[in-house]
């Protein structure tokens, strides 16, 4: 008998042995089994563990290679980050498009072989541009230019050029601001205001209350010494060209089309221009209907108030002294409320024939607009707009 058998109570297995009380209750305890494993099984298990380990190592190595490749591509220590000098003599005609960011321009310069590295170009531009912008246009550059040389060439190409960018829907006062700021000191605000005050000299009909509606949106390039009247005349001439293309002639028809086009452009998305122009025509042609000949455009009221807002008070809507208030005054407002472009001019000149009298944009982000024949139906859609605004308070202020 072994020492362990002499003293069974000292065996670790006694922990699982039933007590006398347990045995009377029929509890026999826990049976411990010992696994008997063959040499072949042990070897197989070892091979499996080795295979699992090798697979894990392989996956790690592949991931490391992929990450390293990406880092090398992005931060290649052997890649030339910048060329030196003004190029290798091979001309590259390069175009910067309107709306492109500096990063986008840099990527295209690198792809064209003008600069060595887009990130380096952006870095140098940030340091050396001194507030000057990469203006849209076509430039004659060279392959393998230093970033500094490319930037200087682009900026200096515009050093004698007056570049103006006028977005659509801007009011005269806002357009004047853009002309002054874009002229780089060439024009003062007083010079521009004086130039537009006598608007009939540019061929604007006298039945318009001001030059509002005639300063055509778009991009303009003039020599730096261009007279401000030449700038204004060019903008007016572009509006005249749009009117001619839309088949509009005669002072009264011109007034109606430009005024309605300016409202449509601010009240609707491009896809809805012709429909909204048709609704305005329906209202104007039916003074005894539910809308009483009132256009009821928020944009016209806010123009007369000199503000931009999506919300009006009932008092503001009732104010007849505001000659642009189309809630209180029947017919068209006193004049255009902005400078429209060709699409809205065409819509106003040839509006859609439809049965609607109301419209409301229920989602300012998507531009979803809903039309209705009656005020009751319209109110349901207005509630949709109000619900949207409650979820997007910063967009409806």
């Amino acid at each position: 008998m072994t020492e362990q058998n002499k003293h069974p109570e000292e065996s670790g297995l006694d922990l699982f042995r039933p007590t006398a009380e347990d045995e009377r209750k029929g509890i026999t305890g826990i049976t411990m089994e010992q696994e008997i494993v063959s040499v072949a099984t042990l070897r197989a298990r070892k091979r499996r563990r080795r295979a699992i380990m090798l697979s894990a190592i392989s996956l790690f190595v592949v991931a490391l290679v992929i990450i390293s490749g990406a880092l090398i591509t992005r931060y290649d220590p052997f890649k030339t980050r910048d060329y030196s000098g003004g190029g290798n003599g091979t001309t590259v005609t390069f175009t910067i498009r309107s709306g492109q960011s500096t990063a986008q321009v840099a990527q295209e310069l690198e792809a064209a072989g003008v600069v060595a590295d887009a990130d380096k170009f952006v870095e140098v531009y940030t340091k050396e541009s001194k507030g000057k912008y990469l203006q849209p246009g076509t430039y004659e550059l060279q392959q393998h230019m230093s970033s500094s040389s490319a930037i200087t060439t682009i900026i200096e190409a515009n050093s004698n050029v007056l570049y103006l960018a006028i977005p659509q829907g801007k009011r005269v006062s806002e357009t004047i601001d853009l002309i002054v700021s874009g002229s780089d000191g060439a024009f003062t605000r007083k010079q521009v205001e004086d130039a537009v005050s006598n608007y009939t000299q540019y061929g604007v009909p006298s039945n318009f209350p001001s030059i509002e509606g005639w300063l055509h949106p778009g991009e303009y390039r003039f020599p730096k010494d261009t007279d401000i009247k030449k700038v204004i005349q060019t903008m007016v001439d572009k509006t005249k060209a749009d009117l001619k293309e839309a088949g509009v002639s005669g002072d009264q028809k011109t007034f109606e089309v430009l005024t309605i086009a300016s409202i449509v452009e601010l009240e609707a998305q491009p896809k809805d221009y012709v429909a909204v122009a048709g609704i305005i025509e329906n209202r104007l042609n039916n003074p005894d209907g539910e809308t009483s000949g009132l256009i009821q455009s928020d944009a016209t009221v806010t123009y007369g108030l000199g503000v931009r807002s999506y919300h009006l008070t009932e008092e503001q809507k009732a104010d007849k002294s505001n000659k642009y208030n189309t809630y209180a005054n029947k017919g068209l407002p006193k004049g255009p409320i902005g400078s429209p472009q060709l699409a809205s001019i065409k819509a106003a000149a040839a509006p859609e024939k439809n049965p609607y009298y109301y419209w409301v944009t229920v989602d300012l982000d998507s531009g979803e607009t809903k039309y209705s024949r009656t005020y009751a139906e319209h109110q349901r859609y207005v509630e949709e707009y109000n619900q949207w605004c409650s979820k997007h308070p910063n967009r409806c202020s």
Side-chain angles (χ1 to χ4, degrees):
M1 182 178 290
T2 63
E3 195 67 21
Q4 184 179 13
N5 290 333
K6 290 179 181 177
H7 304 283
E9 69 281 0
E10 297 177 4
S11 170
L13 295 176
D14 287 342
L15 294 172
F16 302 100
R17 191 183 303 278
T19 63
E21 180 64 25
D22 290 335
E23 288 178 345
R24 284 195 298 271
K25 294 179 180 179
I27 299 174
T28 59
I30 299 174
T31 302
M32 299 294 293
E33 295 184 1
Q34 180 177 0
E35 182 183 17
I36 300 175
V37 181
S38 67
V39 173
T41 301
L42 288 173
R43 288 175 177 171
R45 288 181 177 178
K46 186 175 182 180
R47 285 195 298 270
R48 283 198 297 272
R49 286 196 295 270
R50 186 183 296 117
I52 292 171
M53 181 62 71
L54 289 174
S55 296
I57 292 172
S58 298
L59 289 172
F60 175 76
V61 171
V62 169
L64 185 61
V65 168
I66 292 173
I67 293 171
S68 299
L71 289 174
I72 289 173
T73 300
R74 184 72 174 80
Y75 305 104
D76 185 357
F78 303 106
K79 178 182 177 181
T80 301
R81 291 211 68 206
D82 208 354
Y83 299 121
S84 61
N88 61 7
T90 302
T91 300
V92 176
T93 301
F94 185 82
T95 299
I96 298 177
R97 299 182 299 280
S98 179
Q100 281 191 299
S101 66
T102 303
Q104 290 172 325
V105 172
Q107 291 290 344
E108 293 186 6
L109 284 169
E110 181 182 339
V114 175
V115 299
D117 183 77
D119 290 339
K120 181 65 175 179
F121 178 89
V122 174
E123 178 186 320
V124 175
Y125 172 79
T126 303
K127 292 179 180 177
E128 298 184 1
S129 62
K130 297 178 181 178
K132 296 185 180 296
Y133 299 104
L134 302 177
Q135 295 180 9
T138 299
Y139 302 89
E140 296 299 314
L141 305 175
Q142 293 186 31
Q143 289 184 347
H144 293 194
M145 299 179 76
S146 69
S147 295
S148 181
S149 179
I151 291 165
T152 299
T153 301
I154 293 171
I155 289 177
E156 287 188 353
N158 291 297
S159 60
N160 294 316
V161 175
L162 172 63
Y163 170 75
L164 302 175
I166 312 299
Q168 70 181 90
K170 292 297 181 183
R171 300 171 179 174
V172 165
S173 59
E174 295 166 334
T175 300
I176 290 174
D177 289 338
L178 291 169
I179 292 173
V180 174
S181 62
S183 72
D184 198 23
F187 307 127
T188 65
R189 184 173 184 84
K190 186 177 187 309
Q191 285 177 312
V192 183
E193 288 176 341
D194 288 345
V196 301
S197 62
N198 182 18
Y199 54 90
T200 56
Q201 66 181 306
Y202 305 107
V204 176
S206 58
N207 61 330
F208 283 80
S210 71
I211 203 170
E212 188 71 86
W214 289 88
L215 299 182
H216 198 284
E219 294 181 16
Y220 298 89
R221 289 178 177 79
F222 303 96
K224 267 288 177 66
D225 59 354
T226 300
D227 183 76
I228 183 58
K229 290 185 178 181
K230 172 64 175 176
V231 173
I232 302 303
Q233 187 67 66
T234 301
M235 293 180 173
V236 171
D237 288 346
K238 288 192 71 174
T239 298
K240 290 180 180 179
D242 281 358
L243 289 164
K244 183 177 181 180
E245 184 173 338
V248 179
S249 62
D251 290 357
Q252 184 56 33
K253 184 63 174 178
T254 297
F255 176 86
E256 293 170 0
V257 167
L258 278 186
T259 301
I260 293 173
S262 69
I263 297 172
V264 164
E265 197 160 279
L266 291 174
E267 287 280 6
Q269 298 292 316
K271 63 182 177 62
D272 300 307
Y273 282 173
V274 292
V276 172
I279 293 173
I280 291 175
E281 183 178 68
N282 291 343
R283 284 170 168 252
L284 294 173
N285 292 339
N286 191 13
D288 297 324
E290 191 177 39
T291 56
S292 303
L294 297 167
I295 295 175
Q296 296 177 314
S297 162
D298 291 359
T300 62
V301 182
T302 56
Y303 178 88
L305 293 172
V307 299
R308 285 191 182 273
S309 174
Y310 291 110
H311 286 300
L312 294 171
T313 65
E314 292 304 314
E315 182 181 7
Q316 289 170 331
K317 290 181 179 180
D319 181 12
K320 283 193 173 185
S321 67
N322 178 355
K323 299 305 180 183
Y324 290 87
N325 185 351
T326 54
Y327 280 92
N329 300 302
K330 293 185 178 183
L332 292 173
K334 186 178 179 180
I337 59 173
S339 293
Q341 57 182 0
L342 183 59
S344 51
I345 289 174
K346 284 185 173 181
E352 175 185 281
K353 300 299 180 183
N354 62 53
Y356 303 117
Y357 284 84
Y358 301 88
W359 79 93
V360 60
T361 300
V362 297
D363 185 324
L364 300 183
D365 286 340
S366 69
E368 181 184 4
T369 300
K370 294 190 175 182
Y371 312 110
S372 49
R373 303 184 187 200
T374 66
Y375 182 70
E377 183 183 8
H378 174 64
Q379 283 301 100
R380 292 198 296 270
Y381 296 145
V382 170
E383 182 56 31
E384 282 189 35
Y385 165 71
N386 291 333
Q387 289 176 5
W388 188 90
C389 283
S390 67
K391 297 176 182 177
H392 307 81
N394 294 332
R395 293 283 284 112
C396 300
S397 58

